[in-house]
Short mmCIF file of all heavy atoms in Angstrom, two decimals:
data_model
loop_
_atom_site.label_atom_id
_atom_site.label_comp_id
_atom_site.label_asym_id
_atom_site.label_seq_id
_atom_site.Cartn_x
_atom_site.Cartn_y
_atom_site.Cartn_z
N TYR A 85 0.41 -11.67 -2.36
CA TYR A 85 1.47 -11.61 -3.37
C TYR A 85 1.20 -10.39 -4.25
O TYR A 85 0.11 -10.25 -4.81
CB TYR A 85 1.48 -12.90 -4.20
CG TYR A 85 2.45 -12.86 -5.36
CD1 TYR A 85 3.76 -12.41 -5.21
CD2 TYR A 85 2.06 -13.30 -6.63
CE1 TYR A 85 4.64 -12.38 -6.28
CE2 TYR A 85 2.93 -13.28 -7.70
CZ TYR A 85 4.23 -12.81 -7.52
OH TYR A 85 5.09 -12.78 -8.58
N LEU A 86 2.17 -9.47 -4.32
CA LEU A 86 2.03 -8.28 -5.16
C LEU A 86 2.42 -8.66 -6.58
O LEU A 86 3.56 -9.11 -6.81
CB LEU A 86 2.96 -7.16 -4.66
CG LEU A 86 2.57 -6.32 -3.44
CD1 LEU A 86 1.15 -5.80 -3.54
CD2 LEU A 86 2.76 -7.06 -2.15
N CYS A 87 1.51 -8.51 -7.52
CA CYS A 87 1.81 -8.89 -8.90
C CYS A 87 0.90 -8.11 -9.85
O CYS A 87 -0.19 -7.68 -9.46
CB CYS A 87 1.61 -10.39 -9.10
SG CYS A 87 0.00 -10.99 -8.59
N PRO A 88 1.35 -7.90 -11.09
CA PRO A 88 0.54 -7.08 -12.00
C PRO A 88 -0.79 -7.71 -12.38
O PRO A 88 -1.71 -7.01 -12.81
CB PRO A 88 1.44 -6.91 -13.23
CG PRO A 88 2.60 -7.80 -13.05
CD PRO A 88 2.64 -8.28 -11.65
N ASP A 89 -0.92 -9.03 -12.22
CA ASP A 89 -2.19 -9.68 -12.59
C ASP A 89 -3.09 -9.94 -11.39
O ASP A 89 -4.06 -10.70 -11.49
CB ASP A 89 -1.92 -10.99 -13.37
CG ASP A 89 -0.96 -11.92 -12.64
OD1 ASP A 89 -0.11 -11.43 -11.88
OD2 ASP A 89 -1.07 -13.14 -12.83
N GLY A 112 7.64 -9.97 -5.57
CA GLY A 112 8.26 -10.77 -6.62
C GLY A 112 9.31 -9.96 -7.38
O GLY A 112 9.38 -8.73 -7.26
N ILE A 130 -2.55 -9.00 -5.25
CA ILE A 130 -2.94 -7.60 -5.43
C ILE A 130 -2.01 -6.91 -6.43
O ILE A 130 -0.79 -7.06 -6.37
CB ILE A 130 -2.92 -6.84 -4.08
CG1 ILE A 130 -3.97 -7.44 -3.13
CG2 ILE A 130 -3.16 -5.35 -4.28
CD1 ILE A 130 -4.09 -6.73 -1.79
N SER A 131 -2.63 -6.14 -7.31
CA SER A 131 -1.89 -5.28 -8.25
C SER A 131 -2.18 -3.83 -7.88
O SER A 131 -3.30 -3.50 -7.48
CB SER A 131 -2.40 -5.54 -9.67
OG SER A 131 -2.03 -4.48 -10.53
N ILE A 132 -1.18 -2.96 -8.02
CA ILE A 132 -1.45 -1.54 -7.73
C ILE A 132 -1.78 -0.77 -9.01
O ILE A 132 -2.01 0.44 -8.96
CB ILE A 132 -0.31 -0.85 -6.95
CG1 ILE A 132 0.97 -0.80 -7.77
CG2 ILE A 132 -0.11 -1.50 -5.60
CD1 ILE A 132 1.91 0.32 -7.31
N GLY A 133 -1.80 -1.43 -10.14
CA GLY A 133 -2.16 -0.73 -11.37
C GLY A 133 -1.81 -1.58 -12.58
O GLY A 133 -1.02 -2.52 -12.48
N GLU A 134 -2.41 -1.22 -13.71
CA GLU A 134 -2.23 -2.05 -14.89
C GLU A 134 -0.98 -1.64 -15.65
O GLU A 134 -1.06 -1.05 -16.74
CB GLU A 134 -3.51 -2.02 -15.73
CG GLU A 134 -4.60 -2.78 -14.99
CD GLU A 134 -5.96 -2.68 -15.63
OE1 GLU A 134 -6.23 -1.71 -16.36
OE2 GLU A 134 -6.77 -3.58 -15.35
N TYR A 135 0.15 -1.90 -15.05
CA TYR A 135 1.46 -1.67 -15.63
C TYR A 135 2.41 -2.60 -14.88
O TYR A 135 2.07 -3.09 -13.81
CB TYR A 135 1.91 -0.21 -15.46
CG TYR A 135 1.57 0.34 -14.10
CD1 TYR A 135 2.38 0.06 -12.99
CD2 TYR A 135 0.43 1.12 -13.90
CE1 TYR A 135 2.05 0.53 -11.74
CE2 TYR A 135 0.10 1.59 -12.64
CZ TYR A 135 0.91 1.29 -11.57
OH TYR A 135 0.57 1.75 -10.32
N VAL A 136 3.58 -2.84 -15.45
CA VAL A 136 4.49 -3.79 -14.81
C VAL A 136 5.67 -3.06 -14.17
O VAL A 136 6.38 -2.30 -14.84
CB VAL A 136 5.00 -4.83 -15.85
CG1 VAL A 136 5.95 -5.82 -15.19
CG2 VAL A 136 3.82 -5.56 -16.50
N LEU A 137 5.86 -3.29 -12.88
CA LEU A 137 7.01 -2.73 -12.15
C LEU A 137 8.12 -3.77 -12.19
O LEU A 137 7.88 -4.95 -12.44
CB LEU A 137 6.61 -2.46 -10.70
CG LEU A 137 5.45 -1.50 -10.49
CD1 LEU A 137 4.95 -1.58 -9.05
CD2 LEU A 137 5.88 -0.09 -10.82
N SER A 138 9.34 -3.34 -11.87
CA SER A 138 10.43 -4.32 -11.91
C SER A 138 10.47 -5.19 -10.66
O SER A 138 11.19 -6.18 -10.62
CB SER A 138 11.77 -3.64 -12.17
OG SER A 138 11.83 -2.42 -11.52
N GLY A 139 9.69 -4.85 -9.67
CA GLY A 139 9.61 -5.70 -8.48
C GLY A 139 8.39 -5.31 -7.68
O GLY A 139 7.78 -4.27 -7.92
N GLY A 140 8.06 -6.14 -6.69
CA GLY A 140 6.86 -5.88 -5.90
C GLY A 140 7.06 -4.89 -4.76
O GLY A 140 6.09 -4.50 -4.11
N GLU A 141 8.32 -4.46 -4.51
CA GLU A 141 8.58 -3.62 -3.32
C GLU A 141 7.82 -2.29 -3.35
O GLU A 141 7.24 -1.88 -2.35
CB GLU A 141 10.08 -3.36 -3.15
CG GLU A 141 10.86 -4.52 -2.58
CD GLU A 141 11.14 -5.60 -3.60
OE1 GLU A 141 10.84 -5.39 -4.80
OE2 GLU A 141 11.64 -6.67 -3.19
N ALA A 143 5.19 -1.60 -4.95
CA ALA A 143 3.76 -1.91 -4.81
C ALA A 143 3.43 -2.20 -3.34
O ALA A 143 2.40 -1.74 -2.83
CB ALA A 143 3.40 -3.10 -5.69
N ALA A 144 4.31 -2.93 -2.65
CA ALA A 144 4.08 -3.24 -1.23
C ALA A 144 4.08 -1.94 -0.42
O ALA A 144 3.26 -1.76 0.49
CB ALA A 144 5.14 -4.20 -0.71
N1 ADE B 1 4.82 -6.23 -9.46
C1 ADE B 1 5.11 -5.83 -10.70
N2 ADE B 1 4.18 -5.01 -11.18
C2 ADE B 1 3.24 -4.86 -10.20
C3 ADE B 1 2.02 -4.14 -10.08
N3 ADE B 1 1.55 -3.39 -11.08
N4 ADE B 1 1.33 -4.24 -8.93
C4 ADE B 1 1.79 -5.01 -7.94
N5 ADE B 1 2.93 -5.73 -7.99
C5 ADE B 1 3.65 -5.65 -9.11
#
Side-chain angles (χ1 to χ4, degrees):
Y85 174 47
L86 282 311
C87 53
D89 52 332
I130 296 183
S131 162
I132 65 157
E134 290 173 336
Y135 41 80
V136 180
L137 301 167
S138 37
E141 283 78 7

